[in-house]
Amino acid sequence: WLLLLLLSRASIIGRTPTILSRSTKFLWADYEPAWCFWEVFELLRKIAITGAVLLIPNTNIMQRTLVGFLISLAYTLMLLSLKPYKEGLEDLLAIGSAVLMNVSLLTTLLMKLCDLSTDTCDSLGFDSSSQISIVFGIVGIVLLLVLVRAAGVQ
């Protein structure tokens, strides 16, 4: 995909269609011309979160989750600053889903910390990891409702 986008980049940005740019439209049509490569970033993010973390040994589950969280956080910050989609609603939905992913990964990290040490759990203000799950589950649902409401307004 990257090679195809590199070869058709000038025609995409210049808005001068060629056979190649029209053939690859499914890769870049939803994005601003300057961000016609965004689909490649999206694919790399998915590979990193689902595949690259598997290179970390299974015994280091906290490390895997932390790496996934950092990748997801970096992606969220890129979405917020670049807004690569042509439609504002698509930017909003992408940012919202990225934030929900971050909340999910943060919840997992906090639950694992709580399971490792009751002192850590107490210092976080929770009695158990299941309490963390409930609180952050409610936070996730509220965020999802806000996102649906915002999408409906747009």
Side-chain angles (χ1 to χ4, degrees):
W1 289 357
L2 181 60
L3 180 60
L4 292 172
L5 289 170
L6 282 171
L7 292 172
S8 58
R9 184 173 189 265
S11 63
I12 294 169
I13 291 174
R15 299 178 195 263
T16 54
T18 63
I19 292 172
L20 182 59
S21 69
R22 284 191 300 269
S23 298
T24 59
K25 191 172 184 174
F26 72 97
L27 292 173
W28 57 265
D30 293 334
Y31 308 108
E32 294 288 346
W35 297 110
C36 62
F37 294 103
W38 194 259
E39 192 65 31
V40 175
F41 290 124
E42 181 69 23
L43 181 62
L44 290 174
R45 176 192 67 89
K46 289 176 183 178
I47 290 170
I49 285 182
T50 60
V53 295
L54 294 177
L55 297 174
I56 300 169
N58 198 26
T59 54
N60 300 340
I61 195 72
M62 289 285 289
Q63 205 174 29
R64 279 183 172 188
T65 308
L66 182 60
V67 168
F69 176 72
L70 292 174
I71 291 167
S72 183
L73 186 61
Y75 175 75
T76 304
L77 293 173
M78 286 174 62
L79 277 172
L80 281 167
S81 63
L82 301 176
K83 295 189 169 124
Y85 292 91
K86 285 181 180 176
E87 300 293 325
L89 178 60
E90 290 179 8
D91 279 323
L92 176 68
L93 292 173
I95 291 166
S97 66
V99 168
L100 287 170
M101 172 67 89
N102 291 329
V103 168
S104 174
L105 290 168
L106 179 62
T107 302
T108 303
L109 282 170
L110 292 176
M111 288 174 65
K112 288 305 261 177
L113 283 173
C114 196
D115 287 343
L116 290 174
S117 164
T118 55
D119 291 336
T120 303
C121 202
D122 289 339
S123 68
L124 291 171
F126 296 104
D127 295 328
S128 66
S129 62
S130 60
Q131 192 178 34
I132 292 172
S133 175
I134 292 167
V135 169
F136 278 90
I138 291 169
V139 168
I141 290 169
V142 169
L143 286 172
L144 183 60
L145 292 173
V146 168
L147 179 62
V148 168
R149 173 73 176 134
V153 169
Q154 295 234 349

